[in-house]
Amino acid sequence: MQTKLVSRILLVLMILHLVGALPLTAQDEGEVQELGTGEIEVNFWSGLGGPDGQSLTDLVTRFVEENPEVTINYQILGWGTFFDKLSAAIVAGSGGPDIMTLWHSVVPQYALTGHIMPVAEQMFNLGMLDKDDFSPALLDSVSFDGETYPVPFDNYGSGLYVNTHLLERAGISFDDPPENGEEFIEYVRRLTWDENGNTPNDDDFDAENIAVWPLSIGWNRVTVTPALYQWGTDVVTPAPNAEVLVDSEEAKAAVQYIHDLVFEHHVLPGVNWSGELMLNDGLSMYLDGAWVYNFYNTNMEDGQIAFWPYPRLGPERGSTIMWSHTLAVTSNIEPDVLDATMRLIQFLSDNSREHSIKTGMPSARLSLRDAELADLIWTFETLTTQMAAEGVPEYQSERFTEVENIMAAAYSSIFTGQQTVEEGLDDAAQRIRRALR
Amino acid sequence: MKRQAANTSWTLTNKRREAIAAYLFLAPYLFFFLVFLAGPVISAFVTAFVEWELLRGTYRFIGLENFQLIMEDDLFWIALGNSLYFAIMTTVGNVIVALSAALALKSIRLGHTLFRVVMYAPVVLSISVIGIIFSRLLAPFGLLNAGLELFGHNGFDYLADPSLVLPSLSLTTIWWGFGFPMLIFLAALYAVPETLYEAARIDGAGRRQILWQVTLPLIRPALLFIIVTQFIAHIQVFGQPYIMTNGGGPGYSSYTIVLHIYRNAFSYYHMGYAGAMALSLGVVMFIFALVQFRLLGRYTEY
């Protein structure tokens, strides 16, 4: 009898094991693709995955078709692996990339230590690219000692993806986005419903059983940094000799606003969710970057999704963050490889409009942001208009990765209630000061 | 006499030849041991006493300064605390689950081999696969909460709740890894002579008494081995928080010491500081292993 019982228990365990041990599809991240058969070999590492990565791969493939003397050893890596591997390769002096994609925010880490060259400056001087065709603020952010280092490839920001079905249910017109922080809170309250269909404005609203969340955020870095700008501050002042600003009163007020959305108004989950809930009308608004465009464009019906600018939350001014994926070149590159690499950069830059259409990420070239794109990409006009008027490049630091990890943990602690705003930001400031010493 | 001397000389030469052959057989292992284990250990030891900033290219001897920085680094202590908590919880859980499974397996005959293979199966999966599977199971809208919802419970945010995250990672690890200690326990259980169980039964001992008075004392060497090796393995936990909690979140709730060392070495490029932390972790592990040997080894019957 006991043996039978044990056998049954083991059978259940076996089934659980088999379910859990189902094999997953092997991932091909990190695999080197040898594109072309030319004699000049260029090693290209890219951190762009998903549709962005596919679009870039298509462009690189076209480049080698048009330039048969060049072979591109092309490798796509997840951003985490990318930076870990890059540092080791750069210092080892071999086995690394000749050209790579870099966020503009991390450029000082490599430019100020001499590991990447001012290739953009060289290309401007050779007439391969027109300096005036780029946003001056963006070029400033990748220039040191008067020289521009990498070439900005795209230029993007963040905003609010809104579910138009739910806007309609709340009686809010898409043509009437929130004007300030107070109105934003009013909107999110109207866009929240519990399982009985009540909103936080009703007396019997059940905050424990929310059926439709009004707002979710994918990445605190995307959400909180623009709020810091709108309260007139930032994480740190520009490198070098950066000063820490996150424990300022302005920074605390900005973070307190987001904190209150979680704990006082109960309209924002304290943890980062993906925006998938919006597909089945379980989420009204998703605050995230331009890169989410493709996901919604592919998965939502026409007219079910629209895009508002990053809301004006702060008391002083409306600002939004902007980033760029740049194309950087290592300092120890061979002359013939450099020539092919610069031609590749020129090709990619010249064709970045095509990349915009496929991915929704605006080109860094101002001349390639024509009006026709607004008809093709539903985020385009809002995004580029706000970036042009209010865009502030994300803070930069020689210790960007370390500072960013500290801030990510601080936001996470604050928005999950482990620490108060004051405690979280004071700790973060202390850790950043230590890192910058 | 001369003939005897010649024989002795021949015997010594033969011994030498055997010794040379033995060293040649050992050479490949020694080569890899020196290059991939002893070398890095010595290098890490030296690194602990230098300031080595990878990107800036600075490399200078600074004595004990890195250790002084460790004392001031609150994240080191948070991470060490999390790692110890995780290691103790997972080691205890693994011992209980693995021993229970081994006892159950020993008591059945039908399907014994099949069950043994199936229970060992998760061990062969990589941490990436385990991490992805359990991230989905434990997600707010994941399978586990969907199951709880059937019973009218809203479920938990296992990986985002600071108080649940380390126990969740620990449970994941136990499911993943209990197959190996289970096999060790099984081998130890089969080594216990049946006559001792028969004698105990004749003396009127019940199942519980047999377990506590006969089985456990006699498998104590295996128990010691499992506790020490599991503790050493789990205090170095890395993959689970790296994959499942975005590198130690929420906040620093699942931030572990090896993550801290890894980030300092390969994300922040503070190689000297990372070396000093690795050395400190080695010392902590040595002290804990010593304590475990003292506590458990004292009563072990070999």
Side-chain angles (χ1 to χ4, degrees), chain A residues 59-283:
Chain A
L59 288 178
V60 174
T61 307
R62 261 181 48 205
F63 172 78
V64 290
E65 282 166 7
E66 292 175 23
N67 296 271
E69 74 286 4
V70 181
T71 296
I72 310 273
N73 299 314
Y74 184 65
Q75 198 172 2
I76 298 176
L77 298 151
W79 283 113
T81 318
F82 178 93
F83 286 114
D84 295 348
K85 209 173 157 182
L86 181 65
S87 61
I90 284 179
V91 175
S94 63
D98 299 305
I99 170 175
M100 71 203 98
T101 55
L102 279 185
W103 297 324
H104 83 276
S105 322
V106 300
V107 167
Q109 284 185 177
Y110 302 97
L112 293 172
T113 48
H115 292 291
I116 57 171
M117 62 176 291
V119 71
E121 199 63 35
Q122 208 161 322
M123 291 179 75
F124 295 147
N125 293 339
L126 290 168
M128 295 176 80
L129 291 170
D130 179 6
K131 195 171 186 172
D132 295 335
D133 201 11
F134 293 86
S135 146
L138 193 56
L139 282 191
D140 272 357
S141 73
V142 290
S143 301
F144 304 94
D145 295 328
E147 290 192 303
T148 310
Y149 277 72
V151 175
F153 175 58
D154 55 19
N155 182 200
Y156 53 98
S158 58
L160 263 177
Y161 295 86
V162 291
N163 183 317
T164 50
H165 291 175
L166 295 170
L167 280 190
E168 203 176 313
R169 181 177 169 188
I172 297 170
S173 164
F174 173 71
D175 299 324
D176 190 20
E179 288 291 321
N180 53 49
E182 282 171 20
E183 201 170 274
F184 183 70
I185 289 171
E186 188 200 316
Y187 273 38
V188 288
R189 287 174 71 85
R190 284 167 66 185
L191 286 161
T192 312
W193 290 275
D194 68 13
E195 286 184 344
N196 300 314
N198 296 314
T199 71
N201 297 324
D202 299 314
D203 292 338
D204 44 1
F205 174 69
D206 182 3
E208 296 299 313
N209 288 299
I210 293 178
V212 179
W213 281 90
L215 179 67
S216 173
I217 54 183
W219 199 357
N220 290 326
R221 179 178 161 194
V222 172
T223 320
V224 188
T225 316
L228 295 178
Y229 298 160
Q230 295 188 11
W231 263 265
T233 188
D234 203 334
V235 175
V236 291
T237 57
N241 306 319
E243 275 180 47
V244 181
L245 301 172
V246 284
D247 53 351
S248 64
E249 288 311 309
E250 293 81 8
K252 285 174 183 169
V255 176
Q256 187 69 47
Y257 180 91
I258 311 283
H259 173 273
D260 289 349
L261 291 177
V262 180
F263 295 103
E264 194 184 318
H265 303 290
H266 306 287
V267 291
L268 176 68
V271 293
N272 299 148
W273 288 350
S274 72
E276 286 176 36
L277 275 179
M278 203 184 275
L279 302 187
N280 54 0
D281 292 344
L283 178 67

Side-chain angles (χ1 to χ4, degrees), chain A residues 2-3 6-7 10-24 27 80-81 83-85 87-88 90-91 109-110 113 115 195 208-209 213 271 273 277 398-399 401-403 405-410 412-413 416 418 427 431 434-437, chain B residues 52-57 69-70 72-75 78 101 104-105 107-110 114-115 118-122 125 128-130 132-133 136 140-141 149 154 157 160-162 175 178 207 242 249-253 262-270 273:
Chain A
Q2 266 182 341
T3 308
V6 172
S7 294
L10 290 177
L11 185 66
V12 172
L13 283 173
M14 185 179 79
I15 293 165
L16 286 175
H17 271 296
L18 287 174
V19 169
L22 286 173
L24 294 178
Q27 296 186 347
T81 318
F83 286 114
D84 295 348
K85 209 173 157 182
S87 61
I90 284 179
V91 175
Q109 284 185 177
Y110 302 97
T113 48
H115 292 291
E195 286 184 344
E208 296 299 313
N209 288 299
W213 281 90
V271 293
W273 288 350
L277 275 179
E398 285 172 82
R399 298 277 186 207
T401 316
E402 196 165 357
V403 172
N405 279 336
I406 291 168
M407 288 313 298
S412 169
S413 291
T416 54
Q418 290 177 69
D427 281 356
R431 287 172 189 144
R434 189 170 177 274
L436 295 177
R437 269 205 308 243
Chain B
W52 184 11
E53 293 292 319
L54 211 57
L55 277 185
R56 291 177 182 172
L69 286 175
I70 289 176
E72 297 164 9
D73 181 3
D74 65 330
L75 289 184
I78 290 170
L105 273 178
S107 68
I108 61 162
R109 285 188 185 166
L110 187 67
L114 176 68
F115 285 123
V118 167
M119 286 190 169
Y120 187 76
L125 297 177
S128 311
V129 174
I130 294 290
I132 292 167
I133 289 172
R136 289 179 186 175
F141 306 104
E149 210 175 320
N154 278 344
D157 208 344
D161 183 327
W175 184 86
F178 82 88
R207 294 173 74 86
Y242 187 77
Y252 292 106
S253 303
Y262 172 81
R263 275 192 178 171
N264 272 280
F266 301 109
S267 298
Y268 311 153
Y269 322 117
H270 309 318
Y273 185 53

